[in-house]
Amino acid sequence: MGSLEWTLLQHYPALLVTVSLAGFALLALTYGLSARQRYSTDRERMRRIQSSLDYFTQAAGQLYPAVVMPATTQSVAVANSYKVTNDESSASATILGCKAAPYASDELVKRVDEYLQRPDRQSTLLLYRTLEMEISRLTRERSGLLTRGEHPRWGMLYWVTLRPLLPFTALIVEMIFCWQLIADLYNAALPGPAASLFAILRFVSCSGALLLLYGVISAEFRESGRRASFVIVTLMICGLALLHLLGLTAAPYILVAQVLMYAAGYRLTREPKRKERPYAGEYE
C-alpha cells in the first residue's frame, strides 16, 4: 500500500473501519460459500460412489458362482445349464447395468462387452477381477470421505477447517499481483515501453501459476497415477514463477519456460493407453 493511501487511513479512522468491515464481510461470505460448495461436492461424490458400488457388487454377486466353480468340473452340460437358467436375463441385465454406473471405467465397460459377446470362463474371470478392483478402489474412496468428515486426523482437522479459505487467499494474492502491476506501470525502473511489457508478462506469469496452483489444491483427485504428475508439473511451473525475484527483465524468459512446461504437462499427465496397462490375469 502506498504512503498516500496509508495516510488517508490514518487521518480517517472511519475509512479504516469501513475497509476492515468490508474485508471481514468478504472473508465470511467467501468462507461460507466455499464450505457449502465443498459439503455439496463431498455429498454428491459419496452418492456417486455408493451408486457405483451397488451396480458393481450386484454384478459380482451374479458372477461369483461361476468363478468359484473349479474349471475341471465345468463340463459343457454344466456350462449350458448355467446359461439357460430362468435368471439368465436378470443376470445379464445386472451385468449390463454396470455400464450405467457413474464411476464405470473404460476397462470395466470393455470387459462387460466382452462377457456379453462370449460368456465363457475366461471372460467371466476377467470381468470378475475387474469388478473386484473397482469395488476395492471405491471402497477406499468411500472410507476416505467418511474418515475426513466423521473421524478426521489431527492434521486433517486443520486442513478441513482452513480449506474453505483458499478462494479468499487466492483473491488476496491476485490483488497483490494487480497492485504490483500498477506500481510497475507507473514506476518502471527501465525507460521506454519495454518496462511496461515486462511488467505485464510478469503479471501473466504469476497469475497463471497462481490459477494452476489453486486448481490443483482445490481439485478432488480420485485414485489415479496422474495425481502425482499434476502436482509435480504444477510445482515446477510455480517454482519458475519465483525466479521473477531476479528482476523484471527475466519475465519473458520465465513466461516462455512456463508455457513450455505447461505444454509438456499434456504429455506427462496423459492416461496410459489400454495396451500399456493390461488387466490382472489377462495373460493367465
Side-chain angles (χ1 to χ4, degrees):
M1 183 177 292
S3 58
L4 177 60
E5 290 80 1
W6 181 248
T7 303
L8 288 175
L9 293 178
Q10 285 181 326
H11 287 282
Y12 297 96
L15 180 60
L16 177 60
V17 173
T18 302
V19 172
S20 301
L21 290 178
F24 281 119
L26 180 61
L27 173 62
L29 178 62
T30 306
Y31 186 92
L33 293 177
S34 179
R36 183 176 180 180
Q37 181 184 12
R38 178 59 51 188
Y39 174 76
S40 300
T41 301
D42 289 345
R43 185 174 58 182
E44 177 61 21
R45 185 181 177 189
M46 179 65 73
R47 186 196 64 80
R48 292 195 298 264
I49 290 176
Q50 190 59 51
S51 176
S52 300
L53 281 174
D54 291 340
Y55 282 108
F56 298 159
T57 52
Q58 290 178 16
Q62 294 286 350
L63 296 174
Y64 184 75
V67 172
V68 298
M69 185 179 301
T72 56
T73 63
Q74 280 194 332
S75 61
V76 177
V78 174
N80 291 336
S81 65
Y82 176 74
K83 294 178 185 178
V84 298
T85 57
N86 294 331
D87 296 334
E88 178 186 359
S89 59
S90 176
S92 299
T94 301
I95 295 172
L96 185 61
C98 292
K99 300 173 67 174
Y103 285 147
S105 61
D106 294 337
E107 294 88 344
L108 180 59
V109 172
K110 183 177 179 61
R111 286 305 177 190
V112 169
D113 292 337
E114 291 178 353
Y115 173 81
L116 294 177
Q117 293 175 4
R118 189 184 57 183
D120 57 4
R121 181 169 178 79
Q122 180 68 12
S123 60
T124 301
L125 290 175
L126 290 176
L127 176 57
Y128 183 79
R129 291 174 181 176
T130 305
L131 285 170
E132 276 190 325
M133 290 187 294
E134 296 291 337
I135 291 172
S136 298
R137 181 166 63 225
L138 290 177
T139 301
R140 288 193 299 269
E141 290 188 30
R142 182 179 62 180
S143 177
L145 282 176
L146 291 175
T147 300
R148 186 176 63 188
E150 299 179 0
H151 305 285
R153 294 184 293 272
W154 181 247
M156 181 60 66
L157 181 63
Y158 278 102
W159 173 242
V160 171
T161 305
L162 296 177
R163 190 169 187 175
L165 290 175
L166 286 177
F168 182 80
T169 304
L171 179 61
I172 294 300
V173 175
E174 184 63 24
M175 290 177 62
I176 294 175
F177 290 158
C178 293
W179 188 268
Q180 185 63 44
L181 174 62
I182 296 174
D184 290 337
L185 292 178
Y186 283 95
N187 303 307
L190 297 178
S196 300
L197 177 61
F198 290 165
I200 295 174
L201 293 179
R202 182 170 69 177
F203 172 78
V204 173
S205 173
C206 294
S207 299
L210 174 64
L211 181 63
L212 187 60
L213 180 62
Y214 174 78
V216 170
I217 293 178
S218 61
E220 284 288 349
F221 288 101
R222 300 186 63 223
E223 286 192 11
S224 172
R226 295 192 302 167
R227 179 192 304 180
S229 301
F230 272 93
V231 174
I232 291 174
V233 174
T234 300
L235 291 180
M236 293 180 66
I237 293 177
C238 293
L240 289 173
L242 296 177
L243 297 179
H244 286 294
L245 297 174
L246 298 177
L248 197 59
T249 56
Y253 308 101
I254 296 174
L255 182 58
V256 170
Q258 287 177 315
V259 171
L260 293 177
M261 181 58 62
Y262 182 81
Y266 285 99
R267 173 70 178 177
L268 298 175
T269 61
R270 70 179 181 87
E271 280 280 5
K273 294 182 179 179
R274 167 65 188 88
K275 62 182 180 180
E276 297 175 358
R277 42 185 175 87
Y279 300 100
E282 184 168 5
Y283 300 115
E284 293 184 0

